[in-house]
Amino acid sequence: MRESIAIIGSGYVGLTTGVCFAELGNKVICVDNDDSKITKLKKGELPIYEPGLDSLLKRNISEGRLEFTTAIGDASKKACVIFICVGTPPKENGEPDLSAIENVAKDIADTSASYKIIVEKSTVPVSTARWLNDIMQKYMKTDFDIAVNPEFLREGTAIHDFMNPDRIVIGTDSKRAYGELAELYKPLNAPIFHTDINSAELIKHTSNAMLAQRISTINVIARLCEKTGADVETVAKGVGMDERIGRHFLKAGIGYGGFCFPKDLDALIHILRENGINAGLFEAVREINFDIRDHFAERVTERFSQSGGLKGKLIGVLGLAFKPNTDDMRLAPSIDIIRKLVSEQATIKAYDPKAMENSKKLLDIEYCSGMDDTARDADALLILTEWQDFKDMDLTKIKDLMKQPLIFDGRNIYNKQRMQDLGFEYYTVGSGT
Ligand code: UGA
């Protein structure tokens, strides 16, 4: 067995990091203050849906490399390297709430009896690690080093992303901490970028902000395509062929959701403003992202205004999660779109392969057992998440089940010519049709 590692905070990032480090042969102890979550995890049950995580969790528990606890003391006694992966939710003003990090830092200090490497993995504004260092200086009774090691994994492909990173960023002034962390990541065979702590924090925020910016850019162009008859898929392909730009994150749709991009953009805007720097670029990215949801709902409303409005119309929604292969509904575009259509008095029924339980806490609509059930007697179908099941569905059967063959596709998953041949009235994002 290799290193002994502690992970504080067993949310998306913490849990994936812990399970994957265990899979790499380390002894890992994961901590969370949520009792029910830890009870579940101890039994090998996941509190979230993430493809492949389930079997890795069970295997590493049964092979004795992975354990769970609610007591930080259990972790800080056993491990030398402690990753802080707790949540940093936004306050009203967009500034992230760092109180969880502060509490964890004090608990680590209280319970540590030997040298520790404290690794900040939570996404935080630049200079947070310096502040963390000040707290540790004040409370820690033993030697310690601070490092920043941002995580770039995506929900839905978290294990693959952890195991196959484009780069590993390690920000630290300490040779010892760098050496230990580089050794931990060695089995991944990925480039390691050693930086100072502030730059490492800013690499993470800038990465998410740039990815969000690309999505809003292509979504604005999509609007122009709709007006002019150009096709956004063709535009994105042609633009992405420029190696300086690249083809990733140019998929037009109903905007980004999830907890990361919105939260991190808010935090970046806040810290730019605090430093007296114009944050207009990212404010526009954020505004466009919300406009695009309204615009999609308005296109549906407009289409129905030709036939008596949305009142009493039955709209089937396929896809609720903010992206496929997750059950995460946080800030999903589907929420705003469905609420808008409900306010126009449409009746909504919806289906998502994994996110319906989480959706029920947010949206009081009818939930369906599958795709056929969603299509049955519907006046229109909306595609809001690009699950593979929807891409593969039997469209001829779906057409027969619907009251009229009308689809609004917020993710552009079908071939337009094929849909026309099948007799659908088919609206996509970013094309004249
Ligand atoms: C994002 C980043 O991609 C990760 O690198 C980062 O680690 C993570 O945030 C985080 O900070 O924790 P995630 O939010 O899980 O990951 O998922 P993405 O695949 O980035 O998708 C985010 C949203 O953008 C989704 O709603 C997706 O539908 C949308 N999107 C993505 C588009 O609308 N168009 C695209 O071309 C790509």
Short mmCIF file of all heavy atoms in Angstrom, two decimals, residues 1-7 15 17-30 41 55-68 78-79 163 184:
data_model
loop_
_atom_site.label_atom_id
_atom_site.label_comp_id
_atom_site.label_asym_id
_atom_site.label_seq_id
_atom_site.Cartn_x
_atom_site.Cartn_y
_atom_site.Cartn_z
N MET A 1 0.84 -1.21 0.00
CA MET A 1 0.00 0.00 0.00
C MET A 1 0.88 1.26 0.00
O MET A 1 1.90 1.30 0.67
CB MET A 1 -0.90 -0.02 1.23
CG MET A 1 -2.02 0.91 1.14
SD MET A 1 -3.72 0.32 1.25
CE MET A 1 -3.83 -1.22 1.99
N ARG A 2 0.45 2.28 -0.78
CA ARG A 2 1.25 3.51 -0.88
C ARG A 2 0.89 4.46 0.27
O ARG A 2 0.67 4.06 1.38
CB ARG A 2 1.04 4.13 -2.26
CG ARG A 2 1.43 3.18 -3.40
CD ARG A 2 1.14 3.75 -4.74
NE ARG A 2 2.14 4.71 -5.16
CZ ARG A 2 1.88 5.95 -5.50
NH1 ARG A 2 0.66 6.40 -5.46
NH2 ARG A 2 2.84 6.76 -5.88
N GLU A 3 0.75 5.75 -0.09
CA GLU A 3 0.52 6.82 0.90
C GLU A 3 -0.77 6.69 1.71
O GLU A 3 -1.72 6.05 1.26
CB GLU A 3 0.42 8.15 0.14
CG GLU A 3 1.73 8.83 -0.06
CD GLU A 3 2.25 9.45 1.21
OE1 GLU A 3 1.57 9.41 2.24
OE2 GLU A 3 3.36 9.98 1.16
N SER A 4 -0.83 7.36 2.83
CA SER A 4 -2.07 7.51 3.57
C SER A 4 -2.57 8.95 3.35
O SER A 4 -1.85 9.90 3.65
CB SER A 4 -1.79 7.26 5.05
OG SER A 4 -2.94 6.83 5.67
N ILE A 5 -3.77 9.06 2.80
CA ILE A 5 -4.29 10.38 2.40
C ILE A 5 -5.63 10.63 3.09
O ILE A 5 -6.43 9.70 3.23
CB ILE A 5 -4.58 10.39 0.88
CG1 ILE A 5 -3.33 10.04 0.08
CG2 ILE A 5 -5.14 11.71 0.42
CD1 ILE A 5 -3.66 9.75 -1.37
N ALA A 6 -5.87 11.87 3.45
CA ALA A 6 -7.20 12.22 3.97
C ALA A 6 -7.87 13.18 3.00
O ALA A 6 -7.22 14.06 2.42
CB ALA A 6 -7.08 12.87 5.33
N ILE A 7 -9.18 12.98 2.83
CA ILE A 7 -9.98 13.87 1.98
C ILE A 7 -11.06 14.46 2.86
O ILE A 7 -11.89 13.71 3.41
CB ILE A 7 -10.65 13.07 0.83
CG1 ILE A 7 -9.65 12.19 0.07
CG2 ILE A 7 -11.45 14.00 -0.08
CD1 ILE A 7 -8.83 12.86 -0.97
N LEU A 15 -15.19 12.97 -3.21
CA LEU A 15 -15.46 11.54 -3.32
C LEU A 15 -14.71 10.93 -4.50
O LEU A 15 -14.06 9.88 -4.37
CB LEU A 15 -16.98 11.36 -3.48
CG LEU A 15 -17.54 9.98 -3.20
CD1 LEU A 15 -17.10 9.49 -1.83
CD2 LEU A 15 -19.07 10.04 -3.27
N THR A 17 -12.06 12.07 -5.97
CA THR A 17 -10.63 12.12 -5.68
C THR A 17 -10.24 11.00 -4.73
O THR A 17 -9.25 10.27 -4.96
CB THR A 17 -10.26 13.49 -5.05
OG1 THR A 17 -10.70 14.52 -5.92
CG2 THR A 17 -8.77 13.63 -4.81
N GLY A 18 -11.03 10.83 -3.67
CA GLY A 18 -10.72 9.80 -2.68
C GLY A 18 -10.76 8.40 -3.29
O GLY A 18 -9.83 7.60 -3.13
N VAL A 19 -11.84 8.13 -4.01
CA VAL A 19 -12.00 6.79 -4.60
C VAL A 19 -10.87 6.52 -5.61
O VAL A 19 -10.28 5.43 -5.64
CB VAL A 19 -13.39 6.67 -5.27
CG1 VAL A 19 -13.49 5.40 -6.10
CG2 VAL A 19 -14.50 6.70 -4.22
N CYS A 20 -10.55 7.52 -6.42
CA CYS A 20 -9.52 7.32 -7.45
C CYS A 20 -8.12 7.17 -6.82
O CYS A 20 -7.33 6.33 -7.27
CB CYS A 20 -9.53 8.45 -8.47
SG CYS A 20 -10.96 8.39 -9.56
N PHE A 21 -7.82 7.94 -5.80
CA PHE A 21 -6.52 7.76 -5.13
C PHE A 21 -6.43 6.36 -4.50
O PHE A 21 -5.38 5.73 -4.49
CB PHE A 21 -6.28 8.83 -4.06
CG PHE A 21 -5.61 10.08 -4.60
CD1 PHE A 21 -6.07 11.34 -4.26
CD2 PHE A 21 -4.49 9.99 -5.43
CE1 PHE A 21 -5.46 12.50 -4.74
CE2 PHE A 21 -3.87 11.14 -5.92
CZ PHE A 21 -4.35 12.39 -5.57
N ALA A 22 -7.56 5.87 -3.97
CA ALA A 22 -7.57 4.51 -3.41
C ALA A 22 -7.32 3.50 -4.54
O ALA A 22 -6.53 2.56 -4.39
CB ALA A 22 -8.90 4.24 -2.72
N GLU A 23 -7.98 3.73 -5.65
CA GLU A 23 -7.81 2.84 -6.81
C GLU A 23 -6.34 2.81 -7.28
O GLU A 23 -5.85 1.81 -7.78
CB GLU A 23 -8.74 3.32 -7.95
CG GLU A 23 -8.73 2.50 -9.21
CD GLU A 23 -9.31 1.09 -9.05
OE1 GLU A 23 -9.95 0.81 -8.03
OE2 GLU A 23 -9.07 0.27 -9.96
N LEU A 24 -5.64 3.92 -7.06
CA LEU A 24 -4.22 3.97 -7.44
C LEU A 24 -3.33 3.29 -6.40
O LEU A 24 -2.11 3.28 -6.52
CB LEU A 24 -3.77 5.43 -7.63
CG LEU A 24 -4.38 6.18 -8.82
CD1 LEU A 24 -3.93 7.64 -8.84
CD2 LEU A 24 -4.01 5.52 -10.15
N GLY A 25 -3.96 2.73 -5.35
CA GLY A 25 -3.19 1.94 -4.39
C GLY A 25 -2.90 2.64 -3.07
O GLY A 25 -2.19 2.10 -2.22
N ASN A 26 -3.44 3.84 -2.88
CA ASN A 26 -3.21 4.56 -1.62
C ASN A 26 -4.24 4.16 -0.57
O ASN A 26 -5.34 3.69 -0.90
CB ASN A 26 -3.32 6.08 -1.86
CG ASN A 26 -2.33 6.55 -2.89
OD1 ASN A 26 -1.14 6.62 -2.64
ND2 ASN A 26 -2.81 6.84 -4.09
N LYS A 27 -3.90 4.41 0.66
CA LYS A 27 -4.87 4.21 1.73
C LYS A 27 -5.55 5.56 1.96
O LYS A 27 -4.87 6.55 2.24
CB LYS A 27 -4.13 3.74 2.99
CG LYS A 27 -5.00 3.46 4.14
CD LYS A 27 -4.70 2.08 4.74
CE LYS A 27 -5.54 1.78 5.96
NZ LYS A 27 -6.93 1.58 5.70
N VAL A 28 -6.87 5.59 1.81
CA VAL A 28 -7.59 6.87 1.82
C VAL A 28 -8.67 6.87 2.89
O VAL A 28 -9.41 5.90 3.05
CB VAL A 28 -8.23 7.14 0.44
CG1 VAL A 28 -9.00 8.46 0.45
CG2 VAL A 28 -7.18 7.16 -0.66
N ILE A 29 -8.74 8.00 3.60
CA ILE A 29 -9.83 8.16 4.57
C ILE A 29 -10.61 9.42 4.17
O ILE A 29 -10.04 10.50 4.04
CB ILE A 29 -9.30 8.18 6.02
CG1 ILE A 29 -10.46 8.40 7.00
CG2 ILE A 29 -8.21 9.18 6.26
CD1 ILE A 29 -10.14 7.95 8.42
N CYS A 30 -11.90 9.23 3.90
CA CYS A 30 -12.74 10.36 3.45
C CYS A 30 -13.61 10.83 4.62
O CYS A 30 -14.21 10.01 5.33
CB CYS A 30 -13.66 9.93 2.32
SG CYS A 30 -12.81 9.59 0.78
N LEU A 41 -22.07 5.79 2.57
CA LEU A 41 -20.79 5.49 1.91
C LEU A 41 -20.10 4.29 2.56
O LEU A 41 -19.51 3.46 1.88
CB LEU A 41 -19.87 6.72 1.95
CG LEU A 41 -20.26 7.83 0.96
CD1 LEU A 41 -19.57 9.14 1.30
CD2 LEU A 41 -19.93 7.42 -0.47
N SER A 55 -18.72 0.90 -8.65
CA SER A 55 -17.91 -0.32 -8.53
C SER A 55 -16.54 -0.02 -7.92
O SER A 55 -16.02 -0.82 -7.14
CB SER A 55 -17.78 -1.01 -9.88
OG SER A 55 -17.29 -0.09 -10.82
N LEU A 56 -15.97 1.15 -8.26
CA LEU A 56 -14.67 1.51 -7.66
C LEU A 56 -14.80 1.70 -6.16
O LEU A 56 -13.93 1.31 -5.38
CB LEU A 56 -14.12 2.80 -8.27
CG LEU A 56 -13.63 2.78 -9.72
CD1 LEU A 56 -12.77 4.01 -9.99
CD2 LEU A 56 -12.81 1.54 -10.01
N LEU A 57 -15.91 2.31 -5.75
CA LEU A 57 -16.15 2.55 -4.32
C LEU A 57 -16.19 1.21 -3.57
O LEU A 57 -15.46 1.00 -2.60
CB LEU A 57 -17.49 3.30 -4.15
CG LEU A 57 -17.98 3.50 -2.73
CD1 LEU A 57 -17.22 4.63 -2.06
CD2 LEU A 57 -19.48 3.80 -2.70
N LYS A 58 -17.03 0.31 -4.08
CA LYS A 58 -17.20 -1.00 -3.41
C LYS A 58 -15.88 -1.76 -3.36
O LYS A 58 -15.50 -2.31 -2.32
CB LYS A 58 -18.26 -1.82 -4.16
CG LYS A 58 -19.66 -1.28 -3.95
CD LYS A 58 -20.70 -2.30 -4.41
CE LYS A 58 -22.10 -1.87 -4.04
NZ LYS A 58 -22.67 -0.87 -4.95
N ARG A 59 -15.17 -1.79 -4.51
CA ARG A 59 -13.92 -2.57 -4.55
C ARG A 59 -12.89 -2.04 -3.55
O ARG A 59 -12.26 -2.79 -2.82
CB ARG A 59 -13.34 -2.54 -5.97
CG ARG A 59 -12.08 -3.40 -6.05
CD ARG A 59 -11.62 -3.73 -7.44
NE ARG A 59 -11.14 -2.58 -8.17
CZ ARG A 59 -11.52 -2.30 -9.41
NH1 ARG A 59 -12.40 -3.06 -10.01
NH2 ARG A 59 -11.02 -1.27 -10.03
N ASN A 60 -12.75 -0.72 -3.51
CA ASN A 60 -11.70 -0.15 -2.65
C ASN A 60 -12.05 -0.25 -1.17
O ASN A 60 -11.16 -0.37 -0.34
CB ASN A 60 -11.37 1.27 -3.09
CG ASN A 60 -10.50 1.25 -4.32
OD1 ASN A 60 -9.32 0.93 -4.25
ND2 ASN A 60 -11.09 1.52 -5.49
N ILE A 61 -13.36 -0.25 -0.86
CA ILE A 61 -13.75 -0.49 0.54
C ILE A 61 -13.42 -1.94 0.90
O ILE A 61 -12.77 -2.21 1.91
CB ILE A 61 -15.27 -0.23 0.76
CG1 ILE A 61 -15.60 1.26 0.59
CG2 ILE A 61 -15.70 -0.71 2.14
CD1 ILE A 61 -17.08 1.60 0.68
N SER A 62 -13.84 -2.86 0.02
CA SER A 62 -13.65 -4.28 0.39
C SER A 62 -12.18 -4.67 0.41
O SER A 62 -11.78 -5.57 1.14
CB SER A 62 -14.47 -5.19 -0.53
OG SER A 62 -13.87 -5.21 -1.79
N GLU A 63 -11.36 -3.99 -0.37
CA GLU A 63 -9.93 -4.33 -0.36
C GLU A 63 -9.16 -3.53 0.71
O GLU A 63 -7.93 -3.55 0.75
CB GLU A 63 -9.34 -4.13 -1.76
CG GLU A 63 -9.89 -5.18 -2.74
CD GLU A 63 -9.42 -5.03 -4.17
OE1 GLU A 63 -8.56 -4.16 -4.43
OE2 GLU A 63 -9.93 -5.79 -5.03
N GLY A 64 -9.92 -2.77 1.53
CA GLY A 64 -9.32 -2.13 2.70
C GLY A 64 -8.52 -0.86 2.43
O GLY A 64 -7.74 -0.43 3.27
N ARG A 65 -8.71 -0.26 1.24
CA ARG A 65 -7.96 0.97 0.97
C ARG A 65 -8.77 2.23 1.23
O ARG A 65 -8.25 3.34 1.18
CB ARG A 65 -7.48 0.98 -0.50
CG ARG A 65 -6.34 0.03 -0.79
CD ARG A 65 -5.85 0.21 -2.20
NE ARG A 65 -6.90 -0.10 -3.16
CZ ARG A 65 -7.12 -1.29 -3.69
NH1 ARG A 65 -6.34 -2.29 -3.38
NH2 ARG A 65 -8.11 -1.48 -4.54
N LEU A 66 -10.09 2.07 1.46
CA LEU A 66 -10.95 3.25 1.54
C LEU A 66 -11.84 3.17 2.76
O LEU A 66 -12.56 2.19 2.95
CB LEU A 66 -11.80 3.30 0.26
CG LEU A 66 -12.68 4.51 0.00
CD1 LEU A 66 -11.86 5.79 -0.04
CD2 LEU A 66 -13.41 4.34 -1.33
N GLU A 67 -11.79 4.21 3.59
CA GLU A 67 -12.71 4.24 4.73
C GLU A 67 -13.33 5.63 4.89
O GLU A 67 -12.84 6.61 4.32
CB GLU A 67 -12.02 3.78 6.02
CG GLU A 67 -10.76 4.52 6.35
CD GLU A 67 -10.15 4.03 7.67
OE1 GLU A 67 -10.89 3.86 8.65
OE2 GLU A 67 -8.92 3.86 7.72
N PHE A 68 -14.42 5.68 5.64
CA PHE A 68 -15.18 6.92 5.79
C PHE A 68 -15.41 7.24 7.26
O PHE A 68 -15.59 6.33 8.07
CB PHE A 68 -16.53 6.78 5.07
CG PHE A 68 -16.38 6.64 3.59
CD1 PHE A 68 -16.31 5.38 3.00
CD2 PHE A 68 -16.27 7.75 2.79
CE1 PHE A 68 -16.15 5.24 1.63
CE2 PHE A 68 -16.10 7.64 1.42
CZ PHE A 68 -16.03 6.38 0.84
N LYS A 78 -4.18 9.90 11.00
CA LYS A 78 -3.64 8.84 10.13
C LYS A 78 -2.85 9.37 8.95
O LYS A 78 -1.91 8.74 8.48
CB LYS A 78 -4.79 7.98 9.61
CG LYS A 78 -5.38 7.07 10.66
CD LYS A 78 -6.47 6.20 10.07
CE LYS A 78 -7.20 5.44 11.17
NZ LYS A 78 -8.44 4.84 10.73
N ALA A 79 -3.28 10.52 8.40
CA ALA A 79 -2.72 10.93 7.10
C ALA A 79 -1.74 12.09 7.22
O ALA A 79 -1.90 12.96 8.08
CB ALA A 79 -3.86 11.33 6.18
N MET A 163 -8.41 10.26 -13.93
CA MET A 163 -7.34 9.31 -14.29
C MET A 163 -6.55 9.74 -15.52
O MET A 163 -5.46 9.26 -15.75
CB MET A 163 -7.94 7.91 -14.53
CG MET A 163 -8.54 7.29 -13.28
SD MET A 163 -7.25 6.92 -12.06
CE MET A 163 -8.15 5.88 -10.90
N LEU A 184 2.43 11.26 -5.52
CA LEU A 184 1.06 10.73 -5.47
C LEU A 184 0.44 10.62 -6.87
O LEU A 184 -0.28 9.69 -7.17
CB LEU A 184 0.18 11.71 -4.68
CG LEU A 184 -0.19 11.42 -3.24
CD1 LEU A 184 -1.13 12.47 -2.72
CD2 LEU A 184 -0.84 10.04 -3.14
#
